[in-house]
């Protein structure tokens, strides 16, 4: 059995104020060719199909187009909802699509049957474990007491394992933050306040675990528990990452080997560093100038119309930073402090607000802080489902 593991497509993503749809269509064309050339038996997408719960029409069109092309190749496709997706909208057409060998899971369900893929050596059982907050797991499993993300995952995996015959070859597909993983700027935290990490140990009974959520390709606790990483670079802190997919081979006994295959994007995302005079001179930067670029301008002096000047060289200049420039006036300082504020979580901002507005600058108790975290998590969940 050979399958392709990908994740975090984020169709409909805005980056640098632009929809990435055409770049996504281009790189998915490469992914399709690769699936064909490598003769894979199935394609697995581990969540965050779309960038938001209500994706733009063109993103939905692209997903529809890609599913049709997989169908032309007679390839089964398996996908789950990530934290950016709406579980209900991902579930659309679930039972009908399964008849065309498109297997999907939006909501987590107790007792859900695994997908059974067949090869010459027999069945391979696939557990589809969509992203679900502890609250959603409690509702799906009828649990009264509070759960952490780790406890919720333990419940979900135990239930999924109970549907798989002992000793059978099996694969898990999940969207979660595994402890020890390295995050990137373009991931939205699963929980705004609480701990959202789960232990890799839950997945050790599976011969391979195809993970989504973290955008950098990486292993998570074992060679066979892996993040493929996102389809494209979606923030400048991912500039040095390589993006691609994992081709996984499973033999008759369930032993797994895998290889990472890079994909070449239509535009690279990169950071260019230099003085204005260097950046404006020919030959300073040999790489394509239509890449999506952040310029870190090293000059210490004020430069008039720096953005416009650089845009003439880099038509897709998304961001300009001035690491060595220290503006003195109050307006600029206000902008800086606004930037600082934007980096803080909603929970931190609320705690500061509370402290600022109480007589003795009181701090929230742990219990009060937990209430605030639960409120924000619930709001986040409503935003995903009802946006
Ligand atoms: Mn993601």
């Amino acid at each position: 059995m050979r399958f392709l593991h990908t994740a975090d497509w984020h169709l409909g993503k805005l980056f640098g104020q632009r929809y990435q749809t055409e770049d996504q269509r281009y790189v998915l064309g490469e992914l399709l060719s690769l699936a064909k050339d490598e003769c894979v038996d199935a394609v697995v997408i581990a969540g965050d199909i779309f960038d938001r719960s209500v994706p733009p029409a063109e993103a939905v069109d692209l997903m529809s187009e890609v599913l049709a092309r997989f169908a032309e190749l007679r390839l089964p496709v398996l996908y789950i909802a990530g934290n950016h997706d709406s579980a209900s909208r991902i579930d659309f057409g679930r039972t009908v699509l399964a008849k065309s060998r498109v297997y999907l899971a939006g909501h987590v369900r107790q007792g859900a049957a695994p997908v059974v893929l067949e090869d010459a050596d027999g069945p391979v059982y696939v557990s589809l474990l969509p992203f679900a907050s502890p609250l959603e797991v409690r509702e799906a499993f009828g649990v009264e007491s509070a759960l952490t993300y780790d406890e919720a995952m333990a419940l979900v995996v135990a239930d999924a394992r109970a549907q798989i015959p002992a000793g059978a070859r099996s694969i898990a597909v999940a969207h979660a933050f595994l402890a020890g993983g390295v995050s990137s700027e373009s991931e939205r935290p699963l929980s705004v306040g609480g701990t959202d990490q789960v232990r890799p140990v839950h997945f050790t009974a599976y011969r391979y675990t195809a993970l989504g959520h973290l955008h950098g390709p990486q292993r998570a606790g074992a060679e066979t528990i892996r993040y493929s990483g996102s389809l494209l670079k979606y923030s400048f802190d991912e500039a040095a990452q390589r993006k691609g997919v994992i081709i996984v081979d499973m033999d008759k006994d369930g032993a797994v080997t895998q290889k990472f295959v890079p994909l070449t994007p239509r535009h690279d995302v990169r950071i260019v560093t230099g003085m204005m005079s260097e950046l404006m001179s020919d030959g300073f930067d040999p790489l394509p100038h239509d890449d999506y670029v952040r310029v870190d301008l090293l000059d210490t002096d004020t430069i008039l119309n720096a953005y416009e000047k650089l845009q003439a060289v880099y038509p897709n200049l998304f961001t300009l930073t001035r690491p060595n420039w220290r503006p003195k006036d109050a307006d600029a300082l206000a902008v800086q402090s606004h930037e600082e504020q934007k980096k803080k979580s909603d929970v931190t901002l609320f705690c500061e607000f509370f402290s600022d507005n109480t007589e003795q600058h009181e701090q929230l108790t742990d219990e009060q802080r937990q209430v605030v975290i639960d409120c924000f998590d619930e709001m986040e969940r409503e935003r995903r489902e009802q946006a």
Side-chain angles (χ1 to χ4, degrees), residues 77-313:
V77 182
L78 296 80
Y79 62 91
I80 58 170
N83 61 309
H84 281 249
D85 297 304
S86 152
S88 297
R89 293 185 181 96
I90 287 294
D91 265 334
F92 174 78
R94 193 165 60 95
T95 47
V96 181
L97 284 167
K99 291 176 182 145
S100 304
R101 299 211 295 168
V102 175
Y103 306 100
L104 54 98
H107 285 285
V108 66
R109 288 178 179 80
Q110 190 170 24
V115 176
V116 186
L117 300 174
E118 296 272 351
D119 68 3
D121 303 310
V124 174
Y125 293 81
V126 188
S127 298
L128 297 181
L129 313 173
F131 169 74
S133 70
L135 203 62
E136 290 163 280
V137 173
R138 280 171 60 187
E139 283 172 12
F141 286 70
V143 175
E144 296 280 318
S145 54
L147 295 174
T148 63
Y149 269 82
D150 191 61
E151 289 162 347
M153 185 60 84
L155 262 182
V156 169
V157 173
D159 178 61
R161 290 300 309 172
Q163 322 300 322
I164 298 172
R169 296 184 296 167
S170 61
I171 297 165
V173 185
H175 193 90
F177 192 155
L178 264 62
V182 179
S183 55
S184 306
E185 270 171 17
S186 60
E187 297 144 14
R188 186 191 297 148
L190 302 179
S191 162
V192 286
T195 234
D196 51 9
Q197 300 194 8
V198 303
R199 286 169 299 144
V201 68
H202 302 304
F203 300 102
T204 46
Y206 290 98
R207 304 313 292 259
Y208 184 81
T209 300
L211 293 167
H213 181 56
L214 299 182
H215 287 185
Q218 58 198 282
R219 45 166 279 166
E223 281 303 303
T224 54
I225 304 176
R226 286 196 172 263
Y227 288 96
S228 63
S230 57
L231 187 64
L232 289 167
K233 299 176 187 177
Y234 291 128
S235 63
F236 283 103
D237 83 331
E238 295 164 61
Q241 293 176 7
R242 289 199 89 179
K243 300 297 188 179
V245 302
I246 302 174
I247 303 283
V248 184
D249 281 301
M250 183 179 281
D251 74 10
K252 62 179 177 17
D253 302 315
V256 156
T257 51
Q258 78 263 321
K259 63 175 177 186
F260 181 80
V261 183
L263 296 174
T264 307
R266 194 167 69 136
H267 298 98
D268 199 3
V269 172
R270 56 197 184 89
I271 299 169
V272 184
T273 306
M275 304 287 284
M276 194 67 173
S277 56
E278 294 173 318
L279 293 166
M280 301 303 287
S281 63
D282 287 344
F284 175 73
D285 177 7
L287 296 170
H289 283 210
D290 66 345
D291 284 343
Y292 298 148
V293 168
R294 182 184 95 191
V295 169
D296 294 346
L297 192 56
L298 298 178
D299 299 68
T300 51
D301 306 335
T302 300
I303 295 175
L304 280 177
N305 304 325
Y307 195 91
E308 287 71 19
K309 285 175 187 160
L310 287 166
Q311 218 174 16
V313 180

Side-chain angles (χ1 to χ4, degrees), residues 8 10 48 213 215:
D8 297 277
H10 289 266
D48 284 356
H213 181 56
H215 287 185

Side-chain angles (χ1 to χ4, degrees), residues 324-342:
N324 299 334
W325 184 53
R326 297 279 173 269
K328 295 286 188 295
D329 60 288
D331 277 359
L333 287 174
V335 169
Q336 279 186 340
S337 87
H338 179 67
E339 288 298 314
E340 285 302 306
Q341 295 286 61
K342 274 185 2 196

